[in-house]
Amino acid sequence: MVGVVENNIQRELQLLLMKNLGSSMLPGILVALILFLTLKNPANESGLAFWLIAVSASKLFDVYDAKRIIQRGITLNQTAALKIRLMLLHAIDGAAWGSLAWLSLPASTSAGSVLILAVLAGIAANSMSILSPVLPVFAAFVVFELGSIVYAVISLNDPAYWAIGIAVALYVVTLMGQAYNSSRTVRNSIQLRFDNLELIQQLSAASEKAAKALTSAERANAEKSRFLAAASHDLRQPIHAQGLFLEVLQTTNLSPHQRELVNSISSATNATTEMLHTLLDYSRIEAGVVEPQPRAFRLQTLLSKIENELAPQANAKGLLYRSPETHAVVYSDPALIELIIRNLVSNAIRYTHRGGVLVVCRKQQFRLSLEIWDSGIGIAPSQFENIFSEFQQLGNSERDRQKGLGLGLAIVRKMVNLLGLELHLASRPGRGSVFKLSLPLTQVAVLSDDISTVPQKMQQLHARVLVVDDDAIVRQAMAQLLAEWGCHCDLAESKEESLILTRRHPPDLIISDYRLRDHCKGTDVIQAIRSACNTEIPAILVTGDTAPVRLREAAASGLPLMHKPVSPALLYAELSALLERNRQVTITQH
């Protein structure tokens, strides 16, 4: 490896030298011509003419040879032979220049001798800048050029010239030192360039490796999302139908034992539904379809609702659930705050086996600290970040479904970030935990709390409803439930069948699954039916999809969107509201 690097450096140095030769060719020939014209006389004219031709030919051949080698290219195993070639050629060039001293010094005047020595010294200095990248080549040139001068001076056997010879020898030493420094500088520069190239290659390789790893991770994440979305959709269909059938079953005459069984089935269904809705909440956040709708609201109404729903779970485990009343009015999105608190309280109950859960509010200047305390298993400080990751659960290595999916705290963190709030955690293993959510207080008067309630008594709706779903069991369950609510129900599994039924009996309301067979969408079906009837028939979209792209598409439709498994009570409330609104519009138009 070291040999390869050294050969690469030598090749670059040789290329640099040969590229420099062209710049000295014409000036060198002109200097030789001027010397010929200045120094010639009848006694030495023929010798100087031969010298001029030799110097010019040497210059021309050096440049021609260099261009030819550059065009052909230099392989790594050619560098040693090329160095010898360059040394030989420039030794000849140096001897050619130095021979001027033999030819001219004996018959020159003092002024002519000074001119000859000055020009040859200048030629040597100029050659240093050109040839020093390959130090042996410059050494060959200067030794033969200035060596010829020294030899010529000594040959004159004149003590007056001996001092000149000594000065030339010292000049050679000085030039060699400068050439050495110049050579090291150029070499270090090339070495640095190779080091940088090697570093760039290493960084490129590392970057490419990181990019491949990122692509692989993104692909795995996308595949995970697609799998979860597909699995969630397929699970929601039968559970959605099961919930509808149970609602119909509960309205029939049942023996006490049968009712107990139905209640047990409902409890199991609700547990599964809760996990599916947790997946849905997470998917909605990932899809970016959750948009905060902040307003002033009384926190106590929300806390009472959560207590009514979750306190029975705490009581069933023998835990004490306390939530002292607060009169605070806060400014945020009540639906998202409810989601945060519900997940935190559910987690507190799930991981507490003795003691209890306390939900308390403390005013802190212009903010309210909503705190959920528990006396549960606690969390080690090293796990504080991990618990907010997806599918992370402490103390559930056996993957007990009673302990959820490990998405609750991941949803909490995303909701807190979305609302721009702060959540703090303090905990000690075996001693319990406290989550503190900081909420902005407001002095805005709140006339009523808009928290949806489900009517206790379901009145007959007396409407014709078109149900579009490609799952036969879901259609059957929906038909039986709607019949209990006094509706005439038409069932279709495709857009074409929907239009046929519409022509026979125009519907008062449409309930359509979002994703149908053959890549058909419920929005397309609803639009086609409305166009056929030439009226804006009320419609509800129902979907079991949790894929982010599907959630964004469905949310963008502007239609009421319900997620499977649909709560019958919420479905009834939505149907009632849409039908009543449509009746009011019809009365106004007439």
Side-chain angles (χ1 to χ4, degrees):
M1 182 65 184
V2 176
V4 173
V5 173
E6 179 59 29
N7 283 340
N8 273 314
I9 294 174
Q10 288 297 326
R11 179 173 60 183
E12 292 300 313
L13 290 170
Q14 291 168 3
L15 285 171
L16 178 61
L17 184 152
M18 290 186 291
K19 289 175 182 177
N20 289 338
L21 291 177
S23 63
S24 67
M25 180 184 71
L26 185 59
I29 293 174
L30 288 175
V31 168
L33 179 60
I34 292 170
L35 286 173
F36 169 75
L37 296 174
T38 302
L39 299 175
K40 73 181 179 68
N41 55 55
N44 64 8
E45 184 173 0
S46 58
L48 283 178
F50 179 78
W51 170 82
L52 174 62
I53 293 171
V55 168
S56 300
S58 176
K59 283 289 182 186
L60 291 169
F61 182 80
D62 288 346
V63 172
Y64 163 77
D65 191 55
K67 287 185 176 180
R68 182 177 60 84
I69 292 173
I70 291 172
Q71 290 176 355
R72 185 185 63 195
I74 306 172
T75 61
L76 294 183
N77 57 4
Q78 292 176 332
T79 55
L82 181 58
K83 182 166 69 173
I84 295 173
R85 180 187 182 89
L86 291 171
M87 289 174 62
L88 178 61
L89 289 175
H90 287 87
I92 294 171
D93 191 38
W97 279 103
S99 64
L100 177 64
W102 294 353
L103 296 171
S104 300
L105 280 180
S108 294
T109 64
S110 297
S113 297
V114 170
L115 174 63
I116 293 169
L117 295 175
V119 169
L120 292 179
I123 292 295
N126 180 68
S127 297
M128 184 193 70
S129 62
I130 296 172
L131 304 179
S132 61
V134 184
L135 189 60
V137 175
F138 172 69
F141 176 85
V142 77
V143 165
F144 275 85
E145 187 211 23
L146 298 183
S148 297
I149 298 174
V150 172
Y151 180 76
V153 168
I154 294 174
S155 298
L156 291 174
N157 200 23
D158 185 347
Y161 282 98
W162 291 354
I164 296 175
I166 295 171
V168 169
L170 293 175
Y171 184 58
V172 170
V173 174
T174 302
L175 282 180
M176 287 301 299
Q178 293 178 355
Y180 175 79
N181 293 333
S182 176
S183 177
R184 296 303 303 174
T185 301
V186 174
R187 180 185 177 87
N188 290 340
S189 176
I190 292 175
Q191 177 74 60
L192 180 61
R193 178 157 62 89
F194 277 116
D195 290 343
N196 289 338
L197 287 173
E198 184 179 359
L199 180 59
I200 290 171
Q201 289 173 352
Q202 291 175 355
L203 290 174
S204 298
S207 177
E208 184 179 355
K209 185 177 180 180
K212 287 181 179 178
L214 178 60
T215 301
S216 178
E218 289 175 344
R219 187 184 302 113
N221 189 54
E223 290 173 355
K224 178 197 74 173
S225 297
R226 283 194 295 270
F227 170 76
L228 287 175
S232 176
H233 177 271
D234 293 342
L235 284 171
R236 286 170 186 276
Q237 293 290 88
I239 294 173
H240 173 58
Q242 180 178 302
L244 301 181
F245 281 130
L246 282 171
E247 181 69 16
V248 174
L249 185 59
Q250 287 175 334
T251 62
T252 62
N253 294 323
L254 299 173
S255 67
H257 178 64
Q258 290 172 327
R259 189 163 297 280
E260 183 179 350
L261 288 175
V262 170
N263 290 336
S264 296
I265 296 170
S266 296
S267 177
T269 301
N270 291 337
T272 306
T273 299
E274 182 181 347
M275 287 191 287
L276 288 174
H277 282 316
T278 299
L279 275 175
L280 173 63
D281 290 335
Y282 184 77
S283 298
R284 291 176 66 239
I285 297 168
E286 290 291 291
V289 299
V290 178
E291 295 184 5
Q293 303 291 331
R295 64 176 178 84
F297 67 96
R298 291 190 185 93
L299 189 58
Q300 183 57 47
T301 307
L302 188 152
L303 294 178
S304 297
K305 179 182 178 184
I306 292 176
E307 182 177 4
N308 290 336
E309 294 179 14
L310 299 182
Q313 295 181 21
N315 295 336
K317 293 182 67 174
L319 303 177
L320 178 64
Y321 186 104
R322 291 186 57 211
S323 179
E325 189 170 343
T326 178
H327 300 288
V329 176
V330 298
Y331 187 83
S332 191
D333 186 315
L336 300 186
I337 294 297
E338 178 183 350
L339 184 60
I340 292 171
I341 300 174
R342 185 185 303 280
N343 275 294
L344 291 175
V345 173
S346 294
N347 256 27
I349 295 173
R350 183 175 294 126
Y351 291 102
T352 301
H353 307 300
R354 294 189 306 274
V357 175
L358 171 66
V359 181
V360 65
C361 298
R362 305 181 196 276
K363 287 188 178 180
Q364 299 174 341
Q365 292 184 341
F366 301 107
R367 300 190 73 82
L368 182 80
S369 177
L370 174 64
E371 303 173 3
I372 295 93
W373 294 75
D374 67 64
S375 56
I377 63 174
I379 306 163
S382 61
Q383 296 293 322
F384 279 10
E385 279 299 315
N386 293 340
I387 63 171
F388 290 99
S389 300
E390 297 90 342
F391 306 106
Q392 293 293 322
Q393 291 179 301
L394 301 181
N396 190 21
S397 58
E398 71 277 10
R399 304 303 299 171
D400 181 2
R401 70 172 180 82
Q402 301 272 340
K403 296 181 181 180
L405 295 170
L407 284 174
L409 290 180
I411 292 171
V412 166
R413 168 168 280 185
K414 290 180 181 292
M415 288 292 94
V416 167
N417 292 338
L418 186 64
L419 293 170
L421 302 177
E422 293 182 2
L423 180 68
H424 300 284
L425 165 63
S427 182
R428 291 178 61 185
R431 300 293 297 275
S433 307
V434 56
F435 288 85
K436 298 181 180 181
L437 179 66
S438 180
L439 295 167
L441 288 167
T442 181
Q443 300 299 321
V444 176
V446 179
L447 299 178
S448 63
D449 289 305
D450 184 19
I451 295 180
S452 300
T453 57
V454 179
Q456 297 298 316
K457 187 176 180 181
M458 295 183 177
Q459 305 292 334
Q460 296 290 288
L461 296 177
H462 303 298
R464 179 174 289 278
V465 179
L466 174 61
V467 176
V468 187
D469 199 300
D470 55 11
D471 190 298
I473 296 177
V474 172
R475 292 198 303 273
Q476 182 183 356
M478 190 69 77
Q480 293 193 28
L481 181 62
L482 291 172
E484 289 290 325
W485 295 343
C487 295
H488 298 285
C489 198
D490 294 318
L491 306 177
E493 65 173 347
S494 65
K495 179 179 177 180
E496 293 72 19
E497 193 174 346
S498 301
L499 291 173
I500 293 172
L501 292 173
T502 296
R503 295 188 189 98
R504 296 176 186 169
H505 306 290
D508 298 313
L509 188 140
I510 307 165
I511 300 175
S512 177
D513 191 18
Y514 177 69
R515 185 175 65 172
L516 301 168
R517 291 195 181 99
D518 300 323
H519 305 289
C520 184
K521 298 177 183 176
T523 48
D524 299 332
V525 174
I526 292 169
Q527 184 57 45
I529 294 172
R530 286 175 169 178
S531 297
C533 296
N534 197 28
T535 184
E536 288 292 309
I537 301 172
I540 298 174
L541 276 179
V542 180
T543 183
D545 268 308
T546 56
V549 63
R550 296 285 171 76
L551 291 175
R552 284 193 290 269
E553 289 174 357
S557 69
L559 295 167
L561 179 63
M562 305 190 78
H563 297 276
K564 297 177 181 179
V566 175
S567 162
L570 291 179
L571 177 63
Y572 178 88
E574 188 67 39
L575 288 174
S576 299
L578 285 174
L579 290 170
E580 179 60 28
R581 192 179 305 133
N582 192 54
R583 290 191 187 101
Q584 294 296 331
V585 170
T586 303
I587 293 172
T588 302
Q589 290 176 345
H590 288 81

